[in-house]
Amino acid sequence: MSDPTDENESAELREKVLDLEDALDRLESQHEVLENFCFGLEQEHDRARTLVENTRAELQKSYEALRALKEDQDEIFATVTQGILTINRDGTINPGYSRAAGQILERGDLESMPFVELLPEGPVRAKFGRFLDLQFLPRTQPAMLARLNPLTDYAHSVTTEDGLVREKSLAISFARIWKNATDDSERSVRKVLVVIDDQTTEHELTRELERRVKEQARKVETAYQILMLPPSAYEEFIEETDRGLGYIESSLQTSDVSVESLRKCARTLHTLKGSARALGLDYVQHKTHRMEGLLGELQQGQSTGVVARVLEALNELRERLREGNEMSSRISEMRSTLRLDQDDGRHELERLLAGSIRVEGEACGKVASLSFVDELAGQVPRHFRVRVKNALIQLVRNAVSHGLEASAERAGLGKARDGRIEVRITETEDTIRVSCRDDGRGISAAEIRARALERGLANPEEVDPLDDEQVLELIFLPGFSTAPSVTEASGRGVGMDVVVENAAALGGRVRVDTEVGKHTEFVLELPKRTALAELSLDPSLEHEQ
Amino acid sequence: MKVLIVDDSPVMRILIRRTIEEHNPDETVEITEACDGEEALGKVSGTNFDLVMLDWNMPVLDGLSFVKKVRGDGLDLPIIMISAVSDESSIFDACEAGVTDYIEKPVRPTDLAERIRPYLP
């Protein structure tokens, strides 16, 4: 007989065992899940580690590449002779710039400095500000920007350690660095690259060369002045000057120069200066004037070094006169050989034009007289003279070959057999007017129309609406010529180009006025402001005579 | 390609037209002309032009005002100004107003062709 309490207990125990077994099962399955999870974690961990390692290796590679690039850049920046830097949109200079940039600009640290601060305050700086803004406008063409660059030939002032101000000649150019360079609608300018070239040495050499050219030009001028003098005048002047200079030299070389002797020297110089002026010998006049100044100092008692300077100037003058003397004797030889002594007193340009008319007339069997008026007061720059001369030579040739009728034809029309060409140079307050008029057949608008169509220079629908005055302008189109036949000097269709180009180079324009059967007149209207500006913009003229 | 030539001088219009035509052997360029800025504005609003060749000094509406108007309306086409105005400050004005390129008159036809060519097909 079992004890019921025991039975109860054992049943409870069994249940507990079952519960425990269940719990164990659950634990086991949880353990399995955990184990799987751990395994997964380990795998993830491995993958992550590999990824980190790979990334680190790649970073290392990029870093090394960047460092190599940086080293290259540093090397370039340290060795180029040009100043290279970049400017941000806000106008400041970026940290990376070439060593030469600092050296040329003589600034220790350029980083973050606004570029404009390198320029002196005033118009250059203001213009540069506008220019830099345009650089960041993507639309503006590089050629135009180059045209507007205010620093292509920039004189940069630097103060040296001893407080002296020195000027450097810099050529500074600019280029844009793009963002999205390939996409037209999206692109913008990120930075502006600046390249600074120090051309100080080159400029100094150029100046030296110019000095020598000037010296040569002065010699030629002396020759020209001698040519313009009556043959014996220069020789007489040389003798006079030689005597005068000899006197001054011997007076100054005595140990104690008297006041009276100094006065006599000054008078002698003054006379020489007067003669030089009368003969148009500018150099001698200039030199004697300077010597007079030096003698003045001597008379006031300042003698230190002054005597030496007078003697130096005197020797230079002598050297020049000796050269002049040589030229003079050569020129008189030429004169006697060429019989050039009969000077008809005409204007140089007039002589040239008369010659052109004669030569052109002989070539096409016509005779014409020239009436020449030059009312221009005062000096004109050489490039102006050359331009006007070139245009007029072309115009008188055109007048003879195209404008004038042949003598027989003129006689038939009741005109004088010889043609008449009038050249006038006149001026108003602000304009110079250069005209060439012939009393020939005039220009017919109908003929111009026909010729323009025939030459294929314009279409009927373009020409038809033009009035006669507008039609005349067609002759200024390149390639236009009304000459029925081609001669050596005219009828090539380039004649008017020469005239237009020369007028344009002086800032002016060409008008034509004509009446059929009566006359043709070409007028160059040249504004004084541009025509008489000292600087010729056309370097090709620099060596033209 | 469509080009608009704006100039009050018939001779200049002929010169520009001929220069473009000479450098356009395939004849794919279609040229329209206007005598002043006002007329040009009318034409620009009606047609999608690819290029404008523009004079500065013109009656009714001058070239600079035309550029300002066109850029103000958000049109981004290239505009080449051909003008006798040659002082630098004026060229700055033109660039700032939105001119793409600036050709100074007088201009030789060969130079003109050289400057226009990059804009032609």
Side-chain angles (χ1 to χ4, degrees):
Chain A
M1 193 58 224
S2 60
D3 180 355
T5 322
D6 277 359
E7 259 182 44
N8 277 348
E9 273 177 10
S10 70
E12 266 173 44
L13 272 173
R14 256 201 313 277
E15 250 174 62
K16 270 186 188 155
V17 168
L18 278 176
D19 282 351
L20 278 172
E21 271 173 2
D22 273 354
L24 192 67
D25 274 353
R26 276 201 304 277
L27 269 176
E28 256 172 21
S29 70
Q30 273 173 3
H31 176 76
E32 208 175 317
V33 169
L34 273 174
E35 235 176 19
N36 279 340
F37 182 68
C38 278
F39 182 67
L41 264 182
E42 253 168 52
Q43 270 186 325
E44 281 297 315
H45 180 77
D46 280 352
R47 261 206 296 276
R49 197 165 48 210
T50 325
L51 196 67
V52 167
E53 272 165 13
N54 287 347
T55 312
R56 182 182 292 153
E58 263 168 39
L59 275 176
Q60 182 71 26
K61 247 194 276 171
S62 310
Y63 172 72
E64 268 159 25
L66 273 177
R67 208 176 54 183
L69 211 62
K70 173 94 172 63
E71 271 168 13
D72 283 354
Q73 188 196 314
D74 287 349
E75 184 66 23
I76 293 170
F77 276 180
T79 44
V80 284
T81 52
Q82 280 135 328
I84 298 177
L85 53 90
T86 55
I87 308 181
N88 297 314
R89 181 67 196 93
D90 66 1
T92 54
I93 297 172
N94 279 298
Y97 54 82
S98 70
R99 189 186 295 166
Q103 287 166 346
I104 293 171
L105 298 167
E106 308 212 357
R107 289 284 190 138
D109 191 9
L110 292 168
E111 187 176 336
S112 303
M113 175 183 179
F115 188 86
V116 286
E117 284 182 12
L118 292 165
L119 311 174
E121 275 180 59
V124 177
R125 192 190 268 210
K127 207 168 115 187
F128 179 79
R130 285 182 92 177
F131 174 72
L132 190 61
D133 286 343
L134 281 183
Q135 289 282 355
F136 285 95
L137 270 185
R139 193 183 281 130
T140 324
Q141 287 299 299
M144 239 165 105
L145 287 170
R147 154 86 174 74
L148 294 173
N149 179 359
L151 304 178
T152 41
D153 188 7
Y154 172 61
H156 181 63
S157 297
V158 286
T159 314
T160 52
E161 280 167 15
D162 37 4
L164 291 173
V165 178
R166 205 158 42 85
E167 247 177 27
K168 286 187 169 185
S169 308
L170 305 184
I172 307 183
S173 56
F174 300 84
R176 294 186 279 191
I177 300 173
W178 294 95
K179 186 172 169 180
N180 297 326
T182 47
D183 186 350
D184 259 11
S185 59
E186 284 292 311
R187 67 184 192 153
S188 60
V189 179
R190 202 152 52 85
K191 286 177 191 176
V192 172
L193 176 72
V194 183
V195 180
I196 307 168
D197 233 329
D198 189 349
Q199 300 189 319
T200 313
T201 320
E202 285 91 326
H203 275 224
E204 275 163 8
L205 285 175
T206 312
R207 267 196 291 272
E208 171 64 17
L209 206 66
E210 274 165 8
R211 198 188 57 75
R212 288 191 197 170
V213 168
K214 232 186 231 164
E215 168 121 14
Q216 287 302 318
R218 229 175 37 209
K219 281 189 188 165
V220 173
E221 201 184 313
T222 310
Y224 176 78
Q225 284 163 340
I226 295 169
L227 259 175
M228 293 296 113
L229 295 174
S232 55
Y234 190 76
E235 282 150 40
E236 284 163 17
F237 174 75
I238 292 273
E239 279 170 33
E240 178 195 349
T241 314
D242 244 3
R243 268 199 310 275
L245 293 180
Y247 172 77
I248 295 168
E249 193 176 31
S250 56
S251 307
L252 290 180
Q253 274 167 347
T254 52
S255 50
D256 190 21
V257 196
S258 69
V259 177
E260 180 48 41
S261 165
L262 273 178
R263 241 181 244 145
K264 197 172 169 201
C265 285
R267 275 201 303 276
T268 310
L269 267 181
H270 197 77
T271 315
L272 287 180
K273 190 170 90 172
S275 309
R277 182 165 33 217
L279 295 175
L281 298 167
D282 299 339
Y283 177 82
V284 181
Q285 190 190 333
H286 174 75
K287 206 79 187 171
T288 45
H289 181 74
R290 258 192 43 210
M291 287 168 71
E292 260 190 310
L294 291 170
L295 274 186
E297 285 178 31
L298 272 184
Q299 282 170 309
Q300 280 163 22
Q302 300 160 337
S303 61
T304 333
V306 177
V307 171
R309 275 160 69 202
V310 176
L311 291 176
E312 192 191 326
L314 192 142
N315 279 328
E316 278 170 35
L317 189 53
R318 242 195 207 136
E319 177 61 20
R320 277 298 296 283
L321 290 170
R322 196 189 52 74
E323 271 172 28
N325 209 6
E326 242 167 59
M327 272 186 241
S328 168
S329 53
R330 257 188 262 165
I331 286 165
S332 9
E333 258 171 53
M334 278 192 269
R335 269 184 162 141
S336 57
T337 324
L338 297 171
R339 298 172 194 286
L340 279 176
D341 284 343
Q342 308 94 324
D343 188 347
D344 57 8
R346 280 196 293 178
H347 196 291
E348 188 199 358
L349 179 59
E350 181 182 2
R351 239 184 285 175
L352 200 64
L353 294 178
S356 294
I357 291 172
R358 200 184 55 241
V359 172
E360 188 67 26
E362 277 166 10
C364 57
K366 297 174 188 172
V367 181
S369 65
L370 171 69
S371 134
F372 182 89
V373 177
D374 182 358
E375 289 177 357
L376 215 54
Q379 285 275 322
V380 294
R382 198 173 67 89
H383 72 95
F384 174 89
R385 219 170 49 223
V386 174
R387 291 284 186 195
V388 167
K389 179 196 79 185
N390 290 347
L392 278 175
I393 288 177
Q394 191 58 49
L395 284 173
V396 297
R397 282 170 154 182
N398 281 1
V400 174
S401 61
H402 310 310
L404 296 177
E405 311 89 336
S407 299
E409 193 186 334
R410 289 177 66 88
L413 293 163
K415 288 181 172 181
R417 291 184 67 90
D418 291 357
R420 187 177 159 75
I421 295 172
E422 281 178 35
V423 169
R424 292 171 65 88
I425 305 176
T426 55
E427 64 180 331
T428 61
E429 197 183 325
D430 52 9
T431 310
I432 295 170
R433 199 171 172 280
V434 178
S435 66
C436 175
R437 182 187 175 104
D438 67 67
D439 64 346
R441 58 170 70 95
I443 305 175
S444 135
E447 245 171 67
I448 301 276
R449 273 182 213 275
R451 176 77 47 167
L453 296 176
E454 184 194 312
R455 292 273 152 116
L457 287 166
N459 306 324
E461 55 276 21
E462 288 168 335
V463 172
D464 288 344
L466 305 183
D467 61 36
D468 283 0
E469 207 171 300
Q470 288 172 323
V471 163
L472 282 178
E473 274 188 54
L474 288 171
I475 64 169
F476 298 119
L477 277 179
F480 195 91
S481 169
T482 55
S485 69
V486 171
T487 67
E488 201 203 5
S490 30
R492 297 159 301 181
V494 295
M496 283 322 294
D497 293 13
V498 172
V499 180
V500 171
E501 191 187 315
N502 280 300
L506 293 169
R509 59 191 203 115
V510 187
R511 280 198 306 102
V512 55
D513 176 55
T514 184
E515 193 178 337
V516 174
K518 296 273 172 61
H519 77 272
T520 305
E521 184 177 29
F522 286 93
V523 184
L524 278 66
E525 284 175 350
L526 311 168
K528 281 184 176 172
R529 187 177 56 81
T530 49
L532 297 182
E534 251 333 297
L535 259 182
S536 162
L537 295 173
D538 185 351
S540 68
L541 272 178
E542 290 302 301
H543 300 292
E544 201 169 322
Q545 278 305 309
Chain B
M1 183 184 192
K2 294 193 173 84
V3 179
L4 176 63
I5 300 174
V6 193
D7 202 308
D8 57 332
S9 149
V11 171
M12 259 329 269
R13 289 203 304 272
I14 294 171
L15 186 68
I16 297 168
R17 169 192 279 275
R18 288 190 49 78
T19 307
I20 294 175
E21 281 170 351
E22 258 164 42
H23 293 272
N24 172 39
D26 306 336
E27 293 181 358
T28 48
V29 177
E30 194 182 303
I31 295 173
T32 308
E33 292 182 16
C35 301
D36 60 66
E38 194 66 46
E39 191 189 341
L41 273 183
K43 296 200 161 152
V44 157
S45 65
T47 315
N48 280 328
F49 285 103
D50 301 288
L51 176 65
V52 177
M53 305 290 301
L54 181 71
D55 187 21
W56 187 319
N57 291 318
M58 287 182 292
V60 193
L61 185 76
D62 66 80
L64 188 64
S65 310
F66 171 82
V67 175
K68 285 180 180 162
K69 192 87 185 48
V70 164
R71 296 301 187 214
D73 292 345
L75 285 177
D76 199 35
L77 76 171
I79 301 177
I80 305 180
M81 200 172 235
I82 306 181
S83 170
V85 176
S86 64
D87 69 292
E88 216 151 54
S89 179
S90 301
I91 300 179
F92 266 115
D93 290 341
C95 292
E96 283 159 2
V99 160
T100 319
D101 213 340
Y102 196 97
I103 300 173
E104 278 169 58
K105 277 196 270 192
V107 60
R108 289 192 187 92
T110 47
D111 294 341
L112 182 63
E114 198 62 41
R115 298 287 293 276
I116 305 179
R117 198 167 311 148
Y119 300 92
L120 295 179

